[in-house]
Amino acid sequence: MSLPLGLLVQEQQQQAWRAQQRDAVEQRLNLLRDRLEAAGQATFAPTQALATMIQIDEGLNEQRFSQAVERALPLLPQLRSVAAAPDNIARHVYPLAGNEAVLNLDYRSVPAQWAQVEEARRLGKPILRAPVALLQGGMGVIQRNPVFLQARGAEPRYWGTVSAVADLNRFIASAGLGDEDKLALALYQRNADGRPGSKIWSTGAQERSEHEEQLSRTIRLPGAEWLLLARPAQGWERAGFWSPMLALMWGGCVLVTLLVALLTRMWRIQCRDNEALSREIEQGLQMRAELEASQSRFRTLAALASDWVWEQDAELRFTYISRVAEQASNTDSKLILGFRRWESPSLVPGTVDWEAHRQMLERQETFRDFEYAQHSADGSIKYLSVSGAPIFDANGTFCGYRGTGRDVTVQRRAEAELLASQAELQSARDRLQAVLDAALEVAIVATDAEDRITVFSRGAERMLGYGEAEVLGKSPHQWHLQEEIQARAAALSKQLGQPVEAKEAFIAAPLKDGSDTQVWTFVRRDGSRLEVSLTVSVVYSRQGELIGYVGVARDISAQLQAERGLRALNTELEARVAARTAELADTLNTLQHAQVELLRAERMAALGSLVAGVAHELNTPLGNCLTTASTLEARSREVSSQLASGSMRRATLDRYLEDTATANSILLRGLTSACDLVQHFKQLSVDQTSEQRRIFVLESVVGDVLGLARARWKSTPYNIEADLQPLPRQLDSYPGALGQVLSNLLQNALMHAFDGRGVGTLSISARSLDARHFELRVEDDGCGMSEEVRHRAFDPFFTTKMGRGGTGLGLNIVYNIVNDVLGGRLELRSREGGGTCFVFTLPYEAPLLRPQGSERNRASHPREEAAEARHPGPQATGR
C-alpha cells in the first residue's frame, strides 16, 4: 500500500516541477516574441513610408528617395539597404556603397528574387522572406512591398516594388535572441496549418536537441508569420526522487530506532528545498529586470519608428502611448491616457461607427487599419489609423489590447486632393472635348504610339465623312494616297540620311523636331479628295515617355486654288509693275532729294537755335564785363584827378585798389565763362558740320553739349544731371553726330517731356557693357508718351506740336544717326505719366560711313525705305 502512494506523490512533484519550468520558459518566450515583433516593425517601417510617398507623388525621384531613407538607416544598424524598383528594375538604392551590384538590377534576371516580387504583386501586400543569400554577401531578411497607384474609376496600376534588406544576424541580435543563454531557440516559417516550415535561424543548443518537447509562439511581422520554438538550454530537468512525504511513507517500514536518523535526513532535504526556492526567487527577479529592460528597448524602438505603439487594459482604457503618437497627432498623451478610445475629449464626433468597433473589441478580435479623426493641440484635425491584437496572460485571461498606430493625415489629404484633381482633370477633359468638338473648321486626330486612333473630333467627322466609331482603333493611313506616302518617305530618307519606311512617313520628322507640317491629299469616305495642311506633333507623358501623336488638319483646297489664281494674276501684274517702275524711280529720286534737303534744313535750324542760345548766353557775361570795365574806368579817372591835384589820401587809394581787384575778378570770371562757351560752341559746330571722325572721350562731347544747353535750360525750372562712369577706352567715332543726337534729345525734352509741369529732371548716364560696346541712357521724369505716340515717335514729320514749333524730324534724325552713322541700336521706353527713357547701345569704334551712292541705291526701293522709316527695327521701339 505504501509503494503506490509513494510513486503517486513522486509523480505529482514531477508535474509541479515541469509546470514551473514551462511557466518560466513561456514568460521568457513572450518577452522574446514582443522584442522580435517590435524589431520587425521598426526595421521595415521605412518601406511602408516610402510606398505611401510613391502613391501620393505618383512616382519617385532620386532626391525624394534619399531624403526618405537616409535618416532611418543610421537608427537601424541591422538594415543593410533599401531599394525602389519601378517596373521591377532597381533604379534607386541606398546606401549605394557596398550595394553596387543591386543598382539597375532587373529582378527578372534573378529567378529566386523574381518569384518573391511576383508573389508580392499577386498578393497585393508585403511579403517577408528569410534566410536569403544576398548579392552583397551574407544571409539576410528581405521584405518586398508592392506599390500600386490608384486612379479614379480604374483598376490600381502596378508601379513596382520597394525592398528592404536586413542582415539576418543583426536583425536577430536587435531583438535580443542572440544573447539568450537560458533557452535553446529556433525560428521557422509558419505554415498555413500552424506547423513549422523551413528553418530560418537557431542556436547551437537547439540544433543538438530537436527531439525534445518545445514551446512555440507566433511572430507576426510585416509580410510574414514566423514560429519561435524554445526549450531550456540544458533540457527539461526532472525533480529529485526523494521528498519528505515519500520518506514518511517509506519510514513506516523502518524501525523506530531509526527515527532520529530519519528526522535528521528530512531536515537536510528541507534545507535543500529552501535553497532551490531561493534560486527560483533570484531567477524571477532577474527575469523581471530583463523584462523591464526589454520593454525599455521596445519603447525606444517604438519611439524611433514612424508608427507608434499603444496599450489598453482589460477595460480598454489607454495605459501607454509612445512619444511618436504625441508628435504625430500633436496631442498631449494626458488627454488620452485613462480614456477609452471613443471617450477621448479630442475626438472628432460623427466620423466613425464606434458601436461596431466596440462590439469587435468585446469579442476580443484582432483589428487592422481602423481609422478615426481627432483634434490636435493647434486646432487642426488629424486622421489616425490603428491596428491592435488582444493580450492574454498565461491562464488565458484577457488583459487588454496592444497595437500600433500611424498618422494618415497626409495620405487622406492627398487622397482628397487626388479626388479633387481627378475631378478637375475630368472637367478639363470634358472642356477639352467640348473645345475639340467646337473646332469644326479643323480635323483633330490623335493616335497612340502604335498608330491606333484614340481621338476623332467632330471637325474630322465633318471633313472626312467617317464616324468616330468607324475609325477608333484603326490607322489614319486609310484616307491618305499611297503614292504621297511613298514620296514623303523617300524625301525623308534623303533628308535624314537613313532609311524611312512608308509607315514612318508621318512620324519621322516630328520625332526629330517635335512637329512637322506638310500638305497632303485626303480621300474622303465618298471618294472625293481635298488638299489639307496637316501638322503632326509628338505627345510625351510627364515622365518623358512617348505616348502618341496628334494631327491637326486644315482644309486649304480653296486657299491653294486662290494661290494658283493669285500667281497667274501676279504674272499679269508684273508687266504692269515693270511699266510703272521707271516712273516711280524718278519720283522716288525727287522725294529722296527732298528728304535730304529737309534733314539738312532741320540740322541747320538746330544749329541756328544753338547759335541763338549761345548769343543769349554770351550777352550776360559780356554785359557784366562791359559794366565792370566802364565803372573801373570812371574810378580810374577820379583817382587820377585826385592824384594830380595832390588831394590823394591813402584811404582813397586803398578803396581804389580793392575796387580794382574786385573788378578784375568780375572781368576774369565773365571773360572765362564767355571763352568756355565759345570754345564749346566752336567744337560742337565744327563736329556737327564736318562729320569728322576722330578719337575722343565721351565726357568731353557730353560736356560740350551740356555747356551750351544749360544756357537755355537755366531759364527753365528743370534740371540736367550727368552720371558718366569712366569707360575703359576712348571712342573712335563721330563726335558731331553724337552731339547732335544729345542736342536733339535735350531740345525734344524741353518741348515735350515737361509740358505743363513746374519741375522736372533730365539725366544722362553711361556705362560699359562689354569690350566692344557701351550704353548711353537719356532719361526724364516727365509726362511720358501714350502707346500710340510711342509707336510713331520715330516716324518722319510726326509731332504732337504741329503748328507750335515742332517739325517731326528731331527723333527721326536721332534714329537715323544712331543706326546709320554711329552703328548702334536705340530702344525707347515710355508710358503715359511715367517719364521717357532713350537707351543707346553704341560701339566704341563706329563703322565707316557708307558712300553717298548707297543712299541713292536705298532710294531706288521706295517700299522698303518707307517700311524702314515706319518700323525702325527690332531693337528700336517706335515712338
Side-chain angles (χ1 to χ4, degrees):
M1 185 71 183
S2 62
L3 180 60
L5 181 61
L7 294 175
L8 178 63
V9 171
Q10 183 179 7
E11 181 63 23
Q12 289 179 347
Q13 282 187 340
Q14 291 288 347
Q15 292 179 358
W17 178 250
R18 174 62 64 86
Q20 185 176 2
Q21 289 186 79
R22 288 177 63 90
D23 288 344
V25 172
E26 285 184 347
Q27 290 180 9
R28 191 68 180 172
L29 194 57
N30 289 335
L31 174 62
L32 295 176
R33 176 195 62 189
D34 294 342
R35 288 180 179 178
L36 195 56
E37 287 182 347
Q41 290 289 341
T43 301
F44 301 107
T47 61
Q48 183 61 41
L50 190 60
T52 303
M53 184 184 70
I54 295 172
Q55 292 173 341
I56 294 174
D57 295 347
E58 297 186 355
L60 181 66
N61 57 45
E62 187 63 31
Q63 181 180 7
R64 293 277 289 163
F65 172 77
S66 300
Q67 290 176 348
V69 300
E70 66 182 359
R71 290 177 294 182
L73 261 65
L75 301 176
L76 303 168
Q78 68 273 21
L79 193 60
R80 293 184 61 169
S81 66
V82 177
D87 298 326
N88 299 321
I89 299 176
R91 303 293 188 191
H92 311 280
V93 180
Y94 188 91
L96 185 58
N99 298 292
E100 292 82 358
V102 182
L103 185 63
N104 294 322
L105 173 67
D106 190 339
Y107 289 136
R108 287 166 289 206
S109 64
V110 184
Q113 298 198 26
W114 176 241
Q116 299 171 7
V117 173
E118 278 292 283
E119 182 181 359
R121 177 178 180 177
R122 177 176 55 80
L123 297 176
K125 62 181 181 180
I127 65 169
L128 198 68
R129 292 293 179 265
V132 176
L134 303 177
L135 293 176
Q136 308 94 319
M139 306 300 292
V141 183
I142 297 183
Q143 185 198 52
R144 308 287 187 186
N145 195 340
V147 181
F148 295 87
L149 302 182
Q150 301 291 332
R152 184 180 182 185
E155 292 293 328
R157 179 172 65 86
Y158 176 70
W159 176 85
T161 183
V162 176
S163 304
V165 179
D167 185 273
L168 178 60
N169 292 329
R170 290 184 180 181
F171 178 73
I172 296 299
S174 67
L177 272 66
D179 299 332
E180 181 61 44
D181 57 355
K182 297 181 180 179
L183 298 178
L185 302 173
L187 273 174
Y188 292 86
Q189 297 282 354
R190 185 176 183 274
N191 293 333
D193 58 359
R195 295 182 179 181
S198 59
K199 181 183 291 185
I200 300 173
W201 171 87
S202 66
T203 61
Q206 181 72 20
E207 294 286 351
R208 292 192 298 270
S209 57
E210 290 186 352
H211 61 279
E212 297 185 19
E213 179 189 2
Q214 302 179 86
L215 299 182
S216 65
R217 287 294 184 273
T218 298
I219 310 299
R220 292 180 173 84
L221 299 174
E225 288 189 353
W226 294 351
L227 279 179
L228 178 61
L229 305 183
R231 67 175 63 87
Q234 304 302 326
W236 299 102
E237 298 180 359
R238 300 179 59 85
F241 178 78
W242 194 260
S243 68
M245 184 63 68
L246 190 59
L248 182 62
M249 294 296 300
W250 294 113
C253 301
V254 180
L255 297 174
V256 176
T257 57
L258 299 177
L259 180 60
V260 175
L262 180 61
L263 291 175
T264 303
R265 181 69 175 175
M266 290 178 61
W267 176 79
R268 291 177 179 176
I269 293 175
Q270 187 66 37
C271 291
R272 187 187 65 182
D273 290 343
N274 289 338
E275 292 177 358
L277 181 60
S278 298
R279 287 196 301 271
E280 291 178 3
I281 294 174
E282 183 180 354
Q283 290 177 356
L285 293 175
Q286 183 178 359
M287 290 184 63
R288 180 176 180 181
E290 292 178 356
L291 179 60
E292 291 177 351
S294 173
Q295 289 177 346
S296 176
R297 287 195 297 270
F298 171 73
R299 289 175 178 174
T300 302
L301 285 173
L304 294 176
S306 58
D307 294 353
W308 63 79
V309 180
W310 52 267
E311 293 180 357
Q312 293 175 327
D313 58 17
E315 296 181 356
L316 305 179
R317 300 182 184 276
F318 282 108
T319 58
Y320 170 73
I321 295 177
S322 63
R323 285 191 314 236
V324 178
E326 299 185 63
Q327 299 171 358
S329 61
N330 197 15
T331 303
D332 192 347
S333 60
K334 296 179 181 179
L335 300 177
I336 301 176
L337 293 178
F339 291 93
R340 297 179 178 90
R341 195 182 304 277
W342 54 85
E343 295 175 348
S344 172
S346 60
L347 201 66
V348 177
T351 57
V352 178
D353 183 5
W354 288 105
E355 185 60 32
H357 182 65
R358 292 171 63 180
Q359 293 176 4
M360 179 182 294
L361 298 181
E362 290 175 357
R363 294 192 298 269
Q364 300 177 1
E365 298 178 355
T366 298
F367 64 91
R368 297 186 182 278
D369 300 326
F370 176 73
E371 295 187 10
Y372 62 97
Q374 70 179 32
H375 294 287
S376 61
D378 59 5
S380 61
I381 295 179
K382 294 287 186 178
Y383 295 91
L384 311 178
S385 175
V386 295
S387 301
I391 307 172
F392 301 94
D393 61 13
N395 299 322
T397 303
F398 176 68
C399 300
Y401 269 87
R402 178 185 297 125
T404 61
R406 67 177 54 184
D407 182 4
V408 295
T409 304
V410 174
Q411 181 178 350
R412 293 296 165 262
R413 290 176 179 171
E415 290 175 354
E417 292 176 358
L418 178 61
L419 292 176
S421 176
Q422 290 175 343
E424 292 179 0
L425 178 60
Q426 185 61 40
S427 176
R429 288 176 177 173
D430 294 341
R431 291 194 299 270
L432 177 59
Q433 188 62 46
V435 171
L436 295 179
D437 292 341
L440 297 177
E441 299 302 321
V442 295
I444 302 175
V445 180
T447 66
D448 58 16
E450 304 299 328
D451 200 33
R452 295 185 293 262
I453 296 175
T454 57
V455 175
F456 196 75
S457 70
R458 296 280 180 83
E461 293 180 350
R462 180 178 177 182
M463 180 180 294
L464 294 168
Y466 293 96
E468 182 181 20
E470 296 180 80
V471 299
L472 287 180
K474 299 180 181 179
S475 173
H477 287 210
Q478 58 184 312
W479 52 75
H480 283 273
L481 296 175
Q482 290 303 313
E483 55 268 25
E484 286 190 349
I485 297 177
Q486 294 290 346
R488 178 59 178 163
L492 285 173
S493 299
K494 183 177 181 181
Q495 176 184 343
L496 300 178
Q498 61 185 20
V500 176
E501 300 181 4
K503 63 180 181 180
E504 301 173 336
F506 294 95
I507 64 175
L511 285 175
K512 178 178 178 293
D513 302 324
S515 66
D516 180 59
T517 302
Q518 297 293 326
V519 176
W520 297 88
T521 301
F522 280 180
V523 180
R524 304 181 77 252
R525 195 173 187 274
D526 58 7
S528 59
R529 299 183 178 184
L530 69 156
E531 294 176 296
V532 301
S533 173
L534 175 62
T535 300
V536 179
S537 302
V538 186
V539 181
Y540 295 98
S541 67
R542 287 190 297 179
Q543 289 74 29
E545 300 176 354
L546 174 66
I547 60 177
Y549 306 89
V550 61
V552 180
R554 180 172 56 89
D555 184 1
I556 59 172
S557 300
Q559 176 184 341
L560 293 178
Q561 184 176 359
E563 288 178 357
R564 296 185 190 104
L566 181 61
R567 283 195 294 271
L569 180 59
N570 286 339
T571 302
E572 179 183 352
L573 290 176
E574 283 179 1
R576 300 181 184 180
V577 172
R580 297 291 303 273
T581 300
E583 179 183 353
L584 291 176
D586 294 338
T587 304
L588 181 60
N589 286 333
T590 303
L591 291 175
Q592 181 68 26
H593 289 305
Q595 183 180 9
V596 172
E597 291 300 326
L598 285 173
L599 292 176
R600 184 179 294 111
E602 177 66 19
R603 293 173 63 181
M604 295 305 296
L607 188 58
S609 176
L610 181 62
V611 170
V614 169
H616 176 75
E617 185 66 14
L618 285 174
N619 186 56
T620 299
L622 293 179
N624 292 337
C625 290
L626 181 60
T627 303
T628 302
S630 61
T631 303
L632 182 60
E633 181 185 11
R635 289 285 293 145
S636 297
R637 286 197 302 268
E638 180 181 347
V639 170
S640 178
S641 175
Q642 291 182 5
L643 182 61
S645 62
S647 60
M648 171 66 68
R649 308 179 101 186
R650 183 177 182 83
T652 301
L653 182 58
D654 290 340
R655 283 196 303 272
Y656 171 73
L657 293 177
E658 290 177 0
D659 292 343
T660 300
T662 302
N664 289 336
S665 176
I666 294 174
L667 287 172
L668 186 59
R669 283 200 306 271
L671 292 175
T672 300
S673 176
C675 183
D676 291 342
L677 194 61
V678 170
Q679 185 64 30
H680 289 318
F681 172 71
K682 178 182 177 182
Q683 183 62 49
L684 193 61
S685 61
V686 170
D687 287 338
Q688 293 189 4
T689 55
S690 65
E691 292 188 353
Q692 180 184 3
R693 180 189 181 104
R694 63 183 176 87
I695 298 176
F696 61 94
V697 179
L698 177 65
E699 291 87 336
S700 65
V701 175
V702 176
D704 289 340
V705 174
L706 294 183
L708 296 177
R710 285 193 173 93
R712 185 168 183 181
W713 283 66
K714 187 169 64 174
S715 60
T716 68
Y718 315 124
N719 298 321
I720 301 178
E721 297 178 352
D723 180 17
L724 303 177
Q725 298 181 9
L727 299 180
R729 55 182 291 193
Q730 293 180 332
L731 277 62
D732 183 2
S733 185
Y734 301 93
L738 181 58
Q740 186 173 0
V741 167
L742 294 175
S743 298
N744 284 15
L745 291 180
L746 294 176
Q747 180 69 19
N748 189 71
L750 275 180
M751 183 174 293
H752 301 280
F754 307 113
D755 192 13
R757 296 199 174 195
V759 294
T761 300
L762 182 139
S763 60
I764 301 176
S765 59
R767 65 185 181 94
S768 180
L769 297 178
D770 51 47
R772 299 179 58 188
H773 298 86
F774 69 95
E775 180 186 272
L776 180 64
R777 186 184 295 256
V778 180
E779 186 174 6
D780 64 66
D781 57 359
C783 55
M785 304 179 187
S786 65
E787 190 68 16
E788 179 183 1
V789 172
R790 187 176 66 84
H791 278 288
R792 299 190 58 194
F794 295 106
D795 289 355
F797 307 110
F798 172 76
T799 179
T800 59
K801 298 290 187 179
M802 186 61 70
R804 291 181 289 168
T807 64
L809 292 175
L811 291 185
N812 181 258
I813 292 175
V814 168
Y815 173 75
N816 290 331
I817 291 176
V818 170
N819 286 273
D820 297 338
V821 179
L822 300 179
R825 296 173 298 179
L826 169 59
E827 181 182 357
L828 170 58
R829 304 170 186 171
S830 182
R831 59 185 179 87
E832 195 165 5
T836 301
C837 179
F838 293 88
V839 181
F840 303 93
T841 302
L842 301 174
Y844 286 107
E845 185 174 348
L848 295 177
L849 285 178
R850 290 178 295 176
Q852 294 299 323
S854 62
E855 294 296 332
R856 291 193 293 271
N857 291 336
R858 276 184 71 186
S860 63
H861 301 282
R863 285 183 294 179
E864 296 179 6
E865 181 69 18
E868 291 179 6
R870 184 163 298 278
H871 303 288
Q875 299 298 333
T877 305
R879 180 167 178 172

